[in-house]
Amino acid sequence: MTRVEIFLCSFSLLQLIYQSHGVTITSLHRNVEVKEFETAQLSCIYQVERDNNARLEWKKIVGNHVSFVYFNGLLMEKYKGRVEMSGSSIRLRDVTREDMATYRCEVAAAGDEVDFAEIDIKLSVLVPPAVPTCKVPSSAMSGSRVVLTCKESDGSPPSDYTWFKDNKRLLERPAKDLAYINTSYTVNQKTGVLTFNPVKKTNSGSYHCEAKNKAGGPKECSAQYMQINDLDVGAIVITVIIIASVLSLCGFGMYYAHRKGYLGNSRPSKGKGTNHTTVPPVKEDFKHTKSFII
């Protein structure tokens, strides 16, 4: 135990001795940080006035969810074998990120004038970052907006990110670096986003990113090359002229064909299955040769 811890413990005990109006409670550390798979000590020190049968409880609080760790003199089943009581404090072995929470120590002493007290202790589990995933466009046109991203999700607390171009660190505020006075980029160390707006041909280069936190690091992604190309106005103009010429020739050809009747509608042919009846001609030179008298 360090001198600071001895001082705090002595101060807490003296405070408890002189406070005789009811149950009181304190802790050596209200914020506990421990690396993953190590042991966390959550201290809870209480003093009662008269009631020697005080009830002790430990609870785990994550958001709005509350669950028991120690209740009615027993550890909950899920904590047996990994948690042990040390007086009114608890020792939590092999902690993981799932153990990160606020732990509440509660003491109830029905026979005291002040019959209830509680204290919260925050447990943070430190996890080093993983290798980040970097997204760097292989090419872009100068004058456009270009975004590079760097992200990893394992680190606890969340990682800070640093971008490098050709192995030279890009500052979060480039105006402080004379080498980057004319560079229009921004770096967000918390989100890992590098933005060029607008990007320039001089921004071509090899980019990589590092992630680190207080638990460990840095971990970096592989470098990727980004090529920035200038906009070729002459080539665009020539392309537009060629397309316009082709469209004009096509339009003239359609007009000429229409004028010559090459695009006229053909008459529908007679169907093969149509039957035609031939009507014999009527003789117009019929002569009355005989008379019939009644």
Side-chain angles (χ1 to χ4, degrees), residues 216-236:
K219 297 291 181 65
E220 64 180 38
C221 64
S222 300
Q224 303 175 54
Y225 193 84
M226 180 175 70
Q227 176 66 46
I228 306 302
N229 301 310
D230 285 331
L231 190 63
D232 193 343
V233 178
I236 294 176

Side-chain angles (χ1 to χ4, degrees), residues 11-12 72 84 142 153 184 193 225:
F11 178 78
S12 299
N72 199 24
E84 62 181 23
S142 62
S153 301
S184 55
V193 175
Y225 193 84

Side-chain angles (χ1 to χ4, degrees), residues 140-143 165-166 170 179-185 196 198-207 225-230:
M141 298 301 296
S142 62
K165 179 198 175 202
D166 299 328
L170 297 179
Y180 295 100
I181 289 179
N182 296 322
T183 302
S184 55
Y185 75 82
F196 293 94
V199 71
K200 301 177 182 179
K201 189 174 180 61
T202 54
N203 297 135
S204 296
S206 182
Y207 290 83
Y225 193 84
M226 180 175 70
Q227 176 66 46
I228 306 302
N229 301 310
D230 285 331

Side-chain angles (χ1 to χ4, degrees), residues 101-216:
T102 296
Y103 292 83
R104 178 172 294 166
C105 177
E106 297 180 357
V107 177
D112 286 6
E113 182 179 351
V114 177
D115 61 2
F116 180 80
E118 65 180 24
I119 193 168
D120 288 347
I121 302 167
K122 181 181 178 181
L123 174 60
S124 299
V125 179
L126 305 180
V127 182
V131 175
T133 299
C134 299
K135 295 183 179 180
V136 179
S138 59
S139 63
M141 298 301 296
S142 62
S144 63
R145 181 175 181 269
V146 177
V147 177
L148 287 67
T149 60
C150 178
K151 187 68 176 177
E152 71 84 29
S153 301
D154 289 351
S156 174
S159 294
D160 289 332
Y161 301 95
T162 304
W163 275 98
F164 295 82
K165 179 198 175 202
D166 299 328
N167 293 321
K168 181 177 176 59
R169 180 184 176 186
L170 297 179
L171 300 179
E172 189 170 14
R173 295 180 180 178
K176 292 185 177 181
D177 193 337
L178 295 178
Y180 295 100
I181 289 179
N182 296 322
T183 302
S184 55
Y185 75 82
T186 57
V187 178
N188 190 320
Q189 292 184 341
K190 297 300 181 183
T191 62
V193 175
L194 168 61
T195 305
F196 293 94
N197 190 22
V199 71
K200 301 177 182 179
K201 189 174 180 61
T202 54
N203 297 135
S204 296
S206 182
Y207 290 83
H208 76 275
C209 169
E210 287 184 351
K212 64 179 179 179
N213 61 14
K214 64 171 61 178

Side-chain angles (χ1 to χ4, degrees), residues 286-291:
F286 174 78
K287 294 181 180 180
H288 206 90
T289 56
K290 294 181 180 182
S291 298

Side-chain angles (χ1 to χ4, degrees), residues 254-276:
M254 294 289 290
Y255 174 76
Y256 181 80
H258 180 71
R259 291 281 302 207
K260 293 295 183 178
Y262 299 141
L263 301 180
N265 295 328
S266 60
R267 295 180 179 179
S269 59
K270 295 181 179 180
K272 293 181 180 180
T274 305
N275 295 324
H276 302 280

